[in-house]
């Protein structure tokens, strides 16, 4: 009887697999082919939502819902359209989404490169900030040659402000003490919990970042709108502006609705039809699709040991050292891969995981295969640690990077438990068994060992930077101390090789490979994503290598206001370890 049941269920399982395979096969057989393009089209871009650095959905989830395009999709579409004679221009809807400085500058570069082909680009906004900031979204719009604003819309050109909360007084009232040490004075990641306000170093660092990003924004707006920088600063000081004043001051070119923007685009390209980004990519294909193969590997999120993944609640993504090292190693050993482009958008994380990744990056470089880092909005602390061993490093002027330092400690909750009437007792064996206790403070011996470990990790971090960047220990110490720099500041100090985005990174890769700059290369995500059939079979057979969390767009939007708090809770409740994190609160609010 038992043998019969085993055979029965085996047959049922096999038939089920055949059925699933049939359904998947039918899906692909019946799926429509690539859409066609007309002789004259206008590319339509929706810049009113964020574009993740890497695709967030899998092949399996894309069967059930439309995949959200990534930043790479957006840039590919704009680049491909620039050289496509069928595409006459771009019309984009924007104003509602505030991108980080790095992404803003990356998209601006792509639009300006598109226009360099002699094509038009029209931006339309209902408002640049509605009862809120809009400096960065307006900054993005100035890459277009024509800006239209809806009636009663606002140009929230008000500058930048970085706000940092300090909760030490609240923690004192609750009986909670944050016991953190840092290396060195600019490493302010936990100052929100340990200080009542900005220290002089914290103030100097923050002011410098805000001033640098503001200067970049003013300079670029002035060039785009053909104004003097002094005039742009004066306009910022007088903002925000309602639609009529914005037009009078030449901040926008016209007043109209989205339909007016479409009509304006079609009047500049007679008989042209509109085509959205996703459909255009499906029909035209991507650029950088032939020639020597370059592997594109993403490192997006907080760095941790183990596997990459994400949190559905906080929206955090995690760079798992095991996952990233495996991708780097496979790409390094793949004879078809000529070089690696490592895209980093990370505020840091675990020192141990960062060292593991750094070692693999250095191994790739030493093997003779070029590995170039392209930085997104943030590549600070651990994000810079893993970049330090690369052949070359590229950052946007507004990228936040550096933060060469360490911070570690624990949250002491003994006072809180006492207020709640909870009494703890412990039994221990070992002189430093209480080192990671949240109830008992460090012993003198434990404090000494703790401080020594921070010193050693800090020295190790600096030594990795000195080796990778070919800088003296004295120079590294001068620019380290945990200080965050903008990309513009980092380049001036030797932490970054060039300013720019993907295009500049590919240029450096071609130089390293000895390939002419004008020659095309094939840029491919690595490891190659599985198709839907592979994902279904992996799930059915229990062979998934990675576990990822996927949050629906509606849930993601609903949780957005709580994300900063949830992300902070995630960090504080993580297993004890030494963190090399960029200080929060340094990304200026537009």
């Amino acid at each position: 009887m038992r043998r019969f049941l085993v055979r029965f269920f085996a047959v049922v399982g096999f038939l089920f697999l055949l059925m699933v395979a049939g359904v998947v096969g039918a899906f692909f057989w019946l799926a429509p082919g690539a859409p066609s393009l007309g002789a004259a089209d206008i590319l339509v871009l929706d810049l009113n939502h964020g574009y993740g650095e890497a695709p967030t959905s899998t092949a399996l989830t894309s069967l059930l819902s439309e995949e959200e395009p990534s930043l790479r999709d957006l840039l590919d579409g704009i680049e491909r359209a620039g050289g496509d004679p069928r595409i006459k221009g771009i019309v984009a809807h924007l104003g509602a989404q505030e991108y980080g400085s790095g992404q803003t500058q990356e998209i601006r570069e792509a639009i300006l490169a598109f226009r360099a082909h002699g094509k038009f680009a029209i931006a339309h906004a209902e408002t640049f900030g509605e009862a809120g900031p809009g400096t960065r979204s307006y900054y993005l719009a100035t890459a277009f040659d024509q800006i239209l604003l809806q009636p009663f819309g606002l140009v929230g050109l008000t500058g930048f402000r970085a706000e940092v909360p300090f909760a030490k007084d609240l923690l004192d009232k609750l009986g909670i003490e944050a016991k953190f040490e840092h290396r060195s004075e600019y490493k302010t990641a936990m100052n929100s919990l340990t200080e009542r306000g900005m220290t002089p170093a914290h103030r100097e660092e923050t002011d410098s970042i805000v001033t640098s990003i503001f200067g970049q924004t003013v300079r670029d707006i002035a060039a785009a709108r053909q104004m003097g920088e002094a005039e742009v600063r004066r306009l910022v000081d007088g903002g925000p502006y309602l639609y009529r004043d914005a037009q009078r001051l030449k901040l926008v070119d016209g007043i109209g609705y989205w339909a007016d923007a479409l009509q304006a685009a079609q009047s500049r390209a007679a008989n042209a039809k509109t085509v959205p980004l996703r459909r255009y990519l499906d029909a035209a294909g991507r650029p950088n699709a032939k020639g020597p193969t370059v592997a594109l590997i993403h490192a997006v999120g907080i760095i941790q040991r183990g596997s990459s993944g994400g949190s559905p609640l906080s929206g955090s993504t995690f760079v798992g050292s095991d996952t990233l090292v495996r991708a780097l190693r496979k790409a390094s050993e793949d004879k078809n891969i000529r070089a690696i482009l490592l895209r980093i958008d990370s505020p840091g994380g675990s020192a141990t995981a960062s060292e593991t990744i750094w070692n693999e990056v250095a191994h790739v470089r030493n093997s003779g295969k070029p590995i170039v880092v392209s930085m997104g909005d943030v590549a600070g602390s651990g994000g810079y640690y893993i970049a330090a061993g690369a052949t070359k490093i590229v950052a946007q002027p507004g990228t936040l990077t550096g933060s060469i330092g360490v911070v570690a400690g624990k949250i002491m909750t003994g006072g809180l438990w006492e207020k709640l009437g909870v009494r703890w007792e412990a039994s221990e064996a070992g002189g430093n068994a209480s080192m990671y206790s949240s109830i008992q403070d460090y012993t003198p011996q434990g404090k000494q060992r703790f401080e020594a470990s921070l010193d050693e990790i800090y020295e190790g971090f600096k030594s990795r930077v000195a080796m990778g960047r070919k800088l003296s220990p004295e120079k590294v110490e001068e620019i380290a101390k945990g200080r965050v720099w903008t990309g513009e500041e980092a380049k001036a100090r030797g932490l970054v090789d060039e300013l720019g985005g993907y295009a500049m990174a590919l240029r450096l890769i071609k130089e390293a490979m000895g390939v002419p700059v004008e020659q095309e290369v094939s840029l491919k995500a690595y490891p190659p994503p599985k198709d839907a059939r592979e994902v279904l079979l992996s799930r059915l057979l229990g062979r998934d290598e990675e576990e990822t969390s996927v949050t629906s767009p509606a849930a993601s939007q609903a949780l957005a206001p709580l994300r900063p708090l949830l992300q902070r809770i995630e960090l504080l409740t993580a297993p004890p370890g030494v963190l090399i994190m960029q200080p929060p609160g340094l990304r200026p609010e537009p």
Side-chain angles (χ1 to χ4, degrees):
M1 183 65 179
R2 179 181 177 183
R3 185 176 300 174
F4 169 78
L5 290 174
V6 170
R7 290 179 177 176
F8 174 77
F9 284 113
V11 170
V12 170
F14 178 72
L15 291 174
F16 178 71
L17 284 174
L18 285 179
M19 181 184 69
V20 171
V23 170
V24 174
F27 173 83
F28 285 99
W29 180 265
L30 296 174
S36 60
L37 294 171
D41 285 311
I42 299 166
L43 181 62
V44 178
L45 301 179
D46 181 5
L47 301 179
N48 270 332
H49 65 81
Y51 288 86
E53 281 286 351
T56 55
S57 63
T58 65
L60 182 60
T61 57
S62 66
L63 288 175
L64 306 176
S65 61
E66 186 175 357
E67 181 181 356
E68 288 294 323
S70 67
L71 177 65
R72 186 65 250 167
D73 295 327
L74 175 64
L75 299 176
D76 277 351
I78 297 172
E79 181 181 350
R80 180 73 177 88
D84 188 340
R86 296 169 296 185
I87 299 297
K88 306 305 179 183
I90 284 176
V91 59
H93 196 30
L94 45 71
Q97 174 69 31
E98 292 285 347
Y99 299 93
S101 291
Q103 277 201 5
T104 298
Q105 291 170 339
E106 187 102 36
I107 300 170
R108 285 187 93 256
E109 282 183 6
I111 296 296
L112 292 171
F114 174 87
R115 288 177 55 195
H117 289 275
K119 302 182 178 186
F120 67 84
I122 299 174
H124 177 269
E126 294 174 352
T127 183
F128 294 105
E130 183 176 22
T135 299
R136 199 172 279 134
S137 60
Y138 176 73
Y139 175 36
L140 174 57
T142 59
F144 295 75
D145 63 90
Q146 186 177 357
I147 304 174
L148 298 181
L149 180 64
Q150 184 171 292
F152 302 104
L154 193 73
V155 174
L157 187 64
T158 56
F160 295 97
R161 176 183 175 89
E163 296 182 337
V164 184
F166 293 91
K168 181 171 172 49
D169 288 341
L170 172 61
L171 297 182
D172 287 345
K173 291 177 181 179
L174 295 174
I176 297 173
E177 184 179 6
K179 302 282 289 189
F180 286 91
E181 295 290 340
H182 55 220
R183 301 290 185 274
S184 190
E185 63 264 32
Y186 295 98
K187 194 67 178 180
T188 56
M190 293 301 171
N191 278 19
S192 289
L193 304 179
T194 61
E195 305 290 339
R196 289 187 168 84
M198 287 188 183
T199 62
H202 196 167
R203 169 63 67 184
E204 178 188 356
E205 175 184 57
T206 308
D207 286 350
S208 177
I209 290 170
V210 172
T211 300
S212 178
I213 291 178
F214 181 56
Q216 297 165 26
T217 304
V218 167
R219 182 176 64 237
D220 292 345
I221 290 176
R225 302 302 294 177
Q226 299 181 350
M227 299 177 178
E229 291 186 27
E231 183 180 0
V232 174
R233 290 177 182 271
R234 180 180 59 79
L235 288 171
V236 171
D237 291 341
Y241 300 97
L242 280 170
Y243 66 111
R244 287 198 181 98
D245 287 336
Q247 184 178 23
R248 175 178 58 81
L249 295 169
K250 300 182 180 179
L251 291 172
V252 301
D253 300 293
I255 307 300
Y257 297 93
W258 174 241
D260 298 314
L262 293 175
Q263 185 177 357
Q266 289 170 334
S267 69
R268 295 174 68 172
N271 301 318
K273 296 181 180 179
T274 58
V275 56
L277 173 66
R278 176 63 66 191
R279 188 156 65 86
Y280 174 69
L281 280 174
D282 289 342
R286 294 175 183 271
N288 302 307
K290 59 184 178 180
T293 302
V294 176
L296 172 60
I297 299 177
H298 286 92
V300 179
I302 298 170
I303 298 170
Q304 65 176 14
R305 289 176 293 153
S307 298
S308 298
S311 167
L313 286 178
S314 67
S316 298
T317 55
F318 299 99
V319 182
S321 56
D322 290 351
T323 302
L324 188 54
V325 164
R326 183 165 54 246
L328 289 167
R329 186 165 300 166
K330 286 183 178 180
S332 177
E333 295 171 351
D334 190 335
K335 294 180 180 179
N336 296 318
I337 301 295
R338 291 279 306 277
I340 296 173
L341 173 53
L342 178 59
R343 178 72 172 191
I344 300 175
D345 189 28
S346 170
S350 162
T352 302
S354 298
E355 169 68 12
T356 301
I357 298 168
W358 172 87
N359 179 64
E360 195 63 32
V361 170
H363 173 74
V364 173
R365 176 180 179 176
N366 294 335
S367 72
K369 186 167 286 189
I371 177 167
V372 173
V373 164
S374 171
M375 295 177 169
D377 285 334
V378 179
S381 206
Y384 188 80
Y385 196 130
I386 67 176
T391 309
K392 296 286 184 179
I393 300 176
V394 177
Q396 289 291 350
T399 297
L400 299 185
T401 188
S403 193
I404 302 165
V406 297
V407 60
K410 58 184 180 179
I411 302 292
M412 299 286 297
T413 58
L416 174 62
W417 291 115
E418 186 176 342
K419 290 176 182 290
L420 296 174
V422 178
R423 185 168 174 271
W424 290 74
E425 289 190 1
S427 175
E428 63 183 57
N432 290 322
S434 64
M435 177 173 283
Y436 303 113
S437 169
S438 63
I439 304 301
Q440 183 173 320
D441 202 349
Y442 296 105
T443 64
Q445 181 184 0
K447 182 68 179 298
Q448 186 274 328
R449 297 304 306 151
F450 171 63
E451 297 274 4
S453 68
L454 282 186
D455 290 336
E456 187 165 352
I457 292 171
Y458 181 43
E459 292 301 319
F461 191 172
K462 290 188 293 181
S463 73
R464 302 315 189 214
V465 174
M467 283 189 290
R469 303 303 302 163
K470 294 180 170 58
L471 298 171
S472 68
E474 295 76 19
K475 178 63 175 178
V476 174
E477 175 60 26
E478 178 186 330
I479 57 181
K481 302 178 182 178
R483 180 157 181 171
V484 180
W485 306 98
T486 64
E488 186 176 60
E489 295 172 322
K491 183 177 184 298
R493 289 160 177 81
L495 293 175
V496 165
D497 293 291
E498 297 290 347
L499 297 179
Y502 278 103
M504 176 57 71
L506 286 174
R507 183 184 184 92
L508 295 182
I509 283 175
K510 291 176 185 179
E511 290 178 2
M513 292 192 302
V515 172
V517 173
E518 63 274 9
Q519 180 177 332
E520 193 172 353
V521 296
S522 178
L523 184 62
K524 294 185 177 180
Y526 204 89
K530 296 178 181 178
D531 63 29
R533 288 162 290 192
E534 291 176 311
V535 173
L536 280 171
L537 288 174
S538 295
R539 293 286 172 91
L540 289 169
L541 298 175
R543 293 177 182 171
D544 265 2
E545 291 184 4
E546 305 286 340
E547 286 296 331
T548 57
S549 299
V550 179
T551 309
S552 70
S556 177
Q557 185 176 5
L559 290 168
L562 298 175
R563 279 182 175 172
L565 175 61
L566 292 169
Q567 289 169 356
R568 180 60 60 84
I569 292 172
E570 265 179 351
L571 284 176
L572 296 179
T573 56
V578 179
L579 296 176
I580 41 180
M581 291 292 297
Q582 176 175 297
L586 285 183
R587 184 176 300 181
E589 292 298 327

